[in-house]
Amino acid sequence: MTAIPELWFDPSRCLIAGEWVKAAAGTLPLYDPSTGAEIGAIARGGATEIDAAVTAATEAFHGVWHRTPAVERGRILTRLGQLVLERVEALAMIEARDVGKPYKQARADAVALARYMEFYGGAADKLLGQTIPYMDGYTVYTLREPHGVTGHIVPWNYPMQIIGRSVGAALAAGNACVLKPAEDACLTALAFADLAKQAGLPDGVLNVVPGLGAEAGAALTAHPGLHHISFTGSVATGAAVQIAAGANVIPVTLELGGKSPQVVFDDADLDAALPFLVNAGIQNAGQTCSASSRILVQRARYDEVVEKMAARYGALRVGPAVDDLDVGPLISAKQKGLVSGFIEQGHDLQLAGQATLGDLPSGGYYVPPTLFAGVSPDHTLAQNEVFGPVQVVIPFEDEAEAIAIANGTDYGLVASVWTDSGARQMRLAKAIRAGQVFLNNYGAGGGVELPFGGIGKSGHGREKGFEALYGFTTLKTVAAFHG
Ligand code: NDP
């Protein structure tokens, strides 16, 4: 077994009430997606550990965190951001080995995690209420108060970024957290929690329980001690989380992925657009909630776009995460099976471009990045989230058809529009159903300041920016009668 040398903590334990504890059910094996080799073990947390974690969070919330001044909460998060920056290389290497993400992409995630701590550290004491003009004799104001104990179920595709935007905002707002990372990607969650301890976060304010979704995840979701739950993952599991939260009548934030389009009009600057068209589909091997898996192109430029994208696909280099090429492996054998199944469903389509898989470790979870063209908007590959490096190109005639196709899925997370016409940019920005619309770019660098979330089956609630902070608070109205 080739363990990960960068680890400075025991990955086979949970962090509960500031103590590293073993799970009653033992451990689960940990695999390197780049090779398929077993590289360690993680805790198999379950109902017992979740219950202990919720109890610890409840005590920490009432005991210390609720009374910690906002400015001090902010200082702790800012210190934590600094510690993350000091460990960026180690965190990136841990993530690369654990989830198969090419090193530079993993490093960018670690830097983003630090940035979330800086942003929410600075924002903690700026959660302002309002005064409301009311009847004579009254003074009315609002207070933004933390929910209490918040649950965070984080997937395996961007563990550090999703922890940053979810746990970072919750802590800044004054909540105590229980974090259930994905069984395939819990190492950086544990590393982050250890750094939080070092930064001075009081024991019990952040608890981490790795384990299986059906065990630790389901136990957390159903726990009556939670006051809010934040989930990122699949539509099916998100729906189950919402039902469980409904039974306890607590608010839920769901971020469930998408089928995000980039719409290219015939007046677009193609040289500027091309890198975004492809990168937004293959980044993190396409395992990105905001991946752009549909490229809509106006007929006059259609052949040109397909040809240029195909050339880029042909040049993509696929390999182990530590080799830091364009595309790494998928997270798991299960995900490889799912994505390979989707690629097979494209047998009736034009295979426009495909990367060549060279001499790769035989046990790794690799699939060839694949571009299909001439795809009809109702094809299964144009409707369903693949969550792998697969894109489809769909032609359209005019603006009305572009809008109809862009809005023609169950999802609504992200979209972009490439056109020189300012008036068209404004019309499309209004007409497209999505939580974020980008004009002549895609993703805007992923800024932590930019509210993010979906509509339709992409979920509800907003993460990132100040909107996330509001989501992790409840609003109290105080009306004082003084005559
Ligand atoms: P899931 O939705 O099942 O997993 C996401 C998270 O939920 C993980 O932490 C998982 O834990 C946890 N979980 C699983 N089952 C439960 C449960 N019953 N109660 C509470 N938590 C649970 O996604 P998968 O990993 O199975 O991936 C399948 C598909 O989901 C992908 O192909 C993709 O389409 C979509 N997905 C979307 C993501 C996004 O960013 N929007 C992220 C990940 C997946 P564990 O992994 O330990 O089982």
Side-chain angles (χ1 to χ4, degrees):
M1 198 188 293
T2 50
I4 303 178
E6 286 76 10
L7 295 184
W8 65 88
F9 54 90
D10 179 355
S12 69
R13 295 183 179 231
C14 312
L15 183 67
I16 300 173
E19 301 290 330
W20 291 96
V21 296
K22 287 184 178 171
T27 59
L28 294 162
L30 184 65
Y31 299 100
D32 178 347
S34 296
T35 61
E38 194 173 329
I39 52 171
I42 60 156
R44 182 173 183 165
T48 307
E49 290 73 28
I50 288 292
D51 195 46
V54 174
T55 302
T58 307
E59 286 170 4
F61 175 74
H62 292 295
V64 54
W65 198 232
H66 190 39
R67 287 183 285 108
T68 302
V71 65
E72 182 54 25
R73 294 200 302 268
R75 281 190 190 122
I76 292 171
L77 291 181
T78 306
R79 272 201 298 277
L80 176 51
Q82 190 56 43
L83 290 178
V84 169
L85 279 182
E86 287 167 15
R87 297 274 190 157
V88 153
E89 315 298 339
L91 288 167
M93 193 49 85
I94 293 168
E95 197 79 305
R97 291 290 304 284
D98 193 19
V99 310
K101 191 176 292 226
Y103 177 78
K104 265 202 275 318
Q105 296 178 35
R107 193 180 187 286
D109 285 3
V111 172
L113 173 61
R115 177 75 191 108
Y116 277 111
M117 295 309 115
E118 291 164 356
F119 181 85
Y120 286 119
D125 60 354
K126 296 168 189 71
L127 259 175
L128 308 179
Q130 291 180 318
T131 54
I132 300 174
Y134 195 54
M135 289 191 292
D136 190 32
Y138 281 89
T139 296
V140 181
Y141 58 95
T142 59
L143 297 171
R144 287 206 170 268
E145 299 183 333
H147 291 296
V149 177
T150 54
H152 304 260
I153 297 180
V154 169
W156 40 261
N157 55 341
Y158 287 86
M160 285 191 275
Q161 295 221 30
I162 295 171
I163 288 168
R165 74 194 192 201
S166 155
V167 173
L171 291 175
N175 300 280
C177 305
V178 178
L179 165 60
K180 206 303 275 179
E183 92 217 40
D184 289 325
C186 61
L187 298 187
T188 49
L190 294 166
F192 173 74
D194 182 68
L195 294 178
K197 243 171 108 60
Q198 294 180 32
L201 193 72
D203 290 347
V205 174
L206 171 59
N207 307 275
V208 184
V209 181
L212 299 171
E215 296 175 1
L220 178 60
T221 309
H223 202 289
L226 283 194
H227 302 106
H228 179 284
I229 188 142
S230 158
F231 172 85
T232 303
S234 64
V235 175
T237 307
V241 167
Q242 179 156 337
I243 288 168
N248 288 324
V249 198
I250 59 169
V252 192
T253 302
L254 296 180
E255 201 275 89
L256 308 178
K259 197 68 196 169
S260 299
Q262 298 198 63
V263 186
V264 185
F265 283 92
D266 55 12
D267 62 348
D269 177 349
L270 269 195
D271 288 339
L274 266 162
F276 289 92
L277 296 184
V278 175
N279 289 349
I282 55 100
Q283 181 181 316
N284 199 32
Q287 303 166 120
T288 304
C289 46
S290 56
S292 175
S293 48
R294 295 186 297 152
I295 308 297
L296 282 46
V297 188
Q298 198 159 18
R299 192 66 78 172
R301 308 293 293 278
Y302 175 77
D303 289 340
E304 186 185 354
V305 170
V306 171
E307 189 185 317
K308 289 184 168 164
M309 287 184 73
R312 282 181 179 260
Y313 264 77
L316 287 174
R317 298 158 310 152
V318 181
V322 291
D323 290 356
D324 201 18
L325 304 177
D326 304 309
V327 181
L330 299 178
I331 183 72
S332 62
K334 173 188 150 197
Q335 198 63 19
K336 180 179 172 180
L338 278 176
V339 174
S340 302
F342 272 115
I343 294 175
E344 278 164 27
Q345 290 190 58
H347 62 84
D348 54 338
L349 299 172
Q350 177 197 343
L351 180 63
Q354 195 166 48
T356 309
L357 297 187
D359 187 16
L360 296 170
S362 59
Y365 313 131
Y366 301 94
V367 296
T370 304
L371 179 72
F372 291 111
V375 181
S376 104
D378 55 2
H379 192 281
T380 185
L381 283 176
Q383 286 291 320
N384 295 296
E385 184 176 55
V386 174
F387 232 60
V390 179
Q391 289 179 295
V392 296
V393 192
I394 305 171
F396 69 85
E397 300 297 335
D398 55 23
E399 199 174 300
E401 191 186 11
I403 292 167
I405 298 173
N407 289 342
T409 74
D410 291 339
Y411 295 99
L413 191 59
V414 168
S416 89
V417 181
W418 296 90
T419 175
D420 262 3
S421 160
R424 183 184 272 154
Q425 290 169 17
M426 295 302 109
R427 284 194 299 273
L428 270 283
K430 279 195 173 172
I432 288 181
R433 281 168 47 79
Q436 286 187 328
V437 176
F438 299 101
L439 304 173
N440 289 333
N441 76 97
Y442 193 89
V448 307
E449 304 87 344
L450 312 179
F452 175 73
I455 54 179
K457 292 244 166 79
S458 290
H460 51 75
R462 290 294 174 265
E463 300 188 287
K464 304 174 69 168
F466 262 77
E467 287 300 324
L469 279 179
Y470 299 144
F472 281 113
T473 62
T474 180
L475 196 72
K476 180 184 281 174
T477 303
V478 181
F481 179 69
H482 38 69

